[in-house]
Amino acid sequence: MKQLFNSFLVLVLSAIVLISCKKEASQNIITMPSASTLDFKSSVSAVTLTEEVAASKVVTFSFSAPNYGVKVVPSYTLQFDVPADTLGANPWGNAVEVKLSGDSLHRTFLGSQLNTILAAQLLLPTGVNSTIVVRLKTDVNQSTGLSTTVKPLYSTIKMTVNPYRSYIEYPALLVQGRNSWKTPATRTNGYLLASSNFNTKYEGFLNLPNADGWGGDAFQLVSTTDAKVYGWGSSATTLSAGGGNLWLSPAPNYMKVNVDLNAMTIAYTPVKFFITGEDNGWSVSSTPMVYNATTGVWIASNVTLTAGKTFQFTANGSYDISYKLDKAENGTLIFAGAPNWPTSVNIPVAKTGVFTVTLDMSGGEGNYTYSVK
């Protein structure tokens, strides 16, 4: 009898173990949800961006958490691209990626943030309507953070967008060529110093290959505020109202030029730009940029960048002259050397790949731009 009872007990325990194993196994089987269950959508189907809405919320992307049948913690990424790039051998290869934080199921963009993606990163034309595609990518990773065999889940929507050129016509000092050297008759990028704080201090970058004059470049500066003309003071680094020609030697030379009309001083600093960031170990010399005198921009080709890492633009092998993003206005490049370090942040990399990076300093202070393509 005892032996019979023990046998029965073994059968019961075995059945319980078998049922538990089946239950545990069933709880660990991932089932792929349909993309339609994500209910991915945007708050608007079309958006026109302007300076007036730069600090306003212009669009919110939202979706529902996918059900994989088991408890997982997915990661979410928004990918922005043009329809033509979603086909071919490398679909979505040039998409701009924005990773969502934590388990957030929505992301809201300010006008300036969306405009940076569209105009500076996707390089869409400004002032006209364009069609873009926005794709939600859902990944399931292991608890260690490593990837799994679970394929990403995608959901895509289309939008009509109209980005703007982020340009403000700040007060400026215009370069006026002297002697036989003629400068543009109207305000032209590359021939001006601007005051983004609307004060007496002006900054810009000049390259003067057609200038002439004794020992170098001969020019004066004309104020767009009151048409006053500024020229030579008591030395090469001082100014006077109505003064004669300003002379530079040698010429031509690509220079950072700073003017203080309160102190009546002018300073010239020859510069060569570099890309400095996490991908090159923050080297201030290993990734040089080349100046194109025809287009007026600095270019670095075949630059390897990694999504989630950051970089900045430095000059002359140090951080003394460097440019990063303004903390207060996402997308605006500002001087990041002393004493402006606390007001700037490094430029984030949106996607991993090999890129052409351009830096355009011709617009004067407040209108410096860059692109990563």
Side-chain angles (χ1 to χ4, degrees):
M1 186 69 174
K2 183 176 180 182
Q3 184 178 2
L4 181 61
F5 176 78
N6 287 338
S7 298
F8 176 75
L9 183 60
V10 169
L11 287 173
V12 171
L13 290 175
S14 298
I16 293 173
V17 169
L18 182 60
I19 292 171
S20 299
C21 289
K22 286 184 177 180
K23 184 177 181 181
E24 182 178 352
S26 66
Q27 289 178 337
N28 287 278
I29 296 176
I30 290 180
T31 57
M32 284 299 295
S34 168
S36 62
T37 63
L38 293 174
D39 192 27
F40 178 47
K41 57 189 177 185
S42 63
S43 59
V44 294
S45 60
V47 58
T48 297
L49 299 173
T50 63
E51 292 280 2
E52 287 70 25
V53 299
S56 302
K57 298 176 181 178
V58 294
V59 62
T60 296
F61 297 97
S62 60
F63 53 95
S64 301
N67 183 4
Y68 288 91
V70 296
K71 187 177 181 180
V72 296
V73 181
S75 61
Y76 306 112
T77 303
L78 293 178
Q79 298 175 310
F80 296 81
D81 211 339
V82 294
D85 189 51
T86 62
L87 306 172
N90 185 28
W92 298 86
N94 293 312
V96 176
E97 295 190 341
V98 178
K99 295 186 180 298
L100 275 62
S101 58
D103 56 355
S104 176
L105 301 179
H106 69 276
R107 173 62 192 268
T108 299
F109 289 86
L110 301 180
S112 61
Q113 295 172 327
L114 184 61
N115 198 68
T116 297
I117 293 173
L118 302 177
Q121 295 177 281
L122 286 181
L123 297 181
L124 295 180
T126 57
V128 297
N129 288 335
S130 296
T131 299
I132 65 166
V133 281
V134 185
R135 184 168 72 168
L136 172 67
K137 178 183 178 183
T138 304
D139 286 304
V140 176
N141 296 324
Q142 300 182 44
S143 58
T144 58
L146 299 175
S147 61
T148 68
T149 57
V150 180
K151 294 182 178 180
L153 186 64
Y154 297 102
S155 183
T156 305
I157 58 177
K158 282 188 177 182
M159 288 185 66
T160 300
V161 295
N162 191 327
Y164 64 94
R165 186 175 187 272
S166 182
Y167 183 89
I168 300 175
E169 194 166 276
Y170 293 108
L173 297 175
L174 307 184
V175 174
Q176 177 176 277
R178 304 299 292 165
N179 301 334
S180 61
W181 175 45
K182 303 301 180 184
T183 44
T186 59
R187 179 173 179 148
T188 304
N189 283 1
Y191 295 95
L192 61 86
L193 314 175
S195 176
S196 64
N197 291 317
F198 296 87
N199 55 20
T200 62
K201 295 183 179 180
Y202 294 77
E203 180 186 290
F205 288 80
L206 302 178
N207 186 60
L208 310 176
N210 298 314
D212 61 6
W214 173 80
D217 304 316
F219 66 99
Q220 292 176 318
L221 297 172
V222 182
S223 171
T224 60
T225 302
D226 55 17
K228 283 186 177 180
V229 176
Y230 297 90
W232 186 272
S234 59
S235 69
T237 58
T238 59
L239 296 171
S240 67
N245 294 343
L246 294 164
W247 305 99
L248 291 177
S249 182
N253 207 337
Y254 188 90
M255 305 160 292
K256 176 177 179 285
V257 183
N258 289 87
V259 166
D260 186 340
L261 291 183
N262 185 44
M264 294 300 281
T265 57
I266 185 168
Y268 312 97
T269 307
V271 294
K272 292 183 179 180
F273 279 106
F274 298 81
I275 296 171
T276 300
E278 292 178 83
D279 279 301
N280 65 3
W282 295 106
S283 169
V284 294
S285 60
S286 64
T287 311
M289 305 188 78
V290 177
Y291 182 67
N292 185 319
T294 301
T295 60
V297 301
W298 290 83
I299 302 173
S301 303
N302 300 317
V303 180
T304 300
L305 298 173
T306 305
K309 293 188 176 182
T310 61
F311 69 95
Q312 61 180 272
F313 297 101
T314 59
N316 302 345
S318 78
Y319 291 94
D320 292 340
I321 298 176
S322 56
Y323 288 85
K324 302 193 293 186
L325 294 181
D326 188 346
K327 275 185 178 180
E329 296 183 45
N330 186 34
T332 302
L333 281 178
I334 63 169
F335 178 70
N340 294 341
W341 289 318
T343 64
S344 62
V345 293
N346 290 321
I347 302 166
V349 177
K351 185 175 177 62
T352 299
V354 179
F355 303 92
T356 295
V357 182
T358 63
L359 176 65
D360 186 351
M361 309 298 279
S362 64
E365 184 184 54
N367 284 310
Y368 302 139
T369 62
Y370 74 98
S371 67
V372 179
K373 187 66 174 178

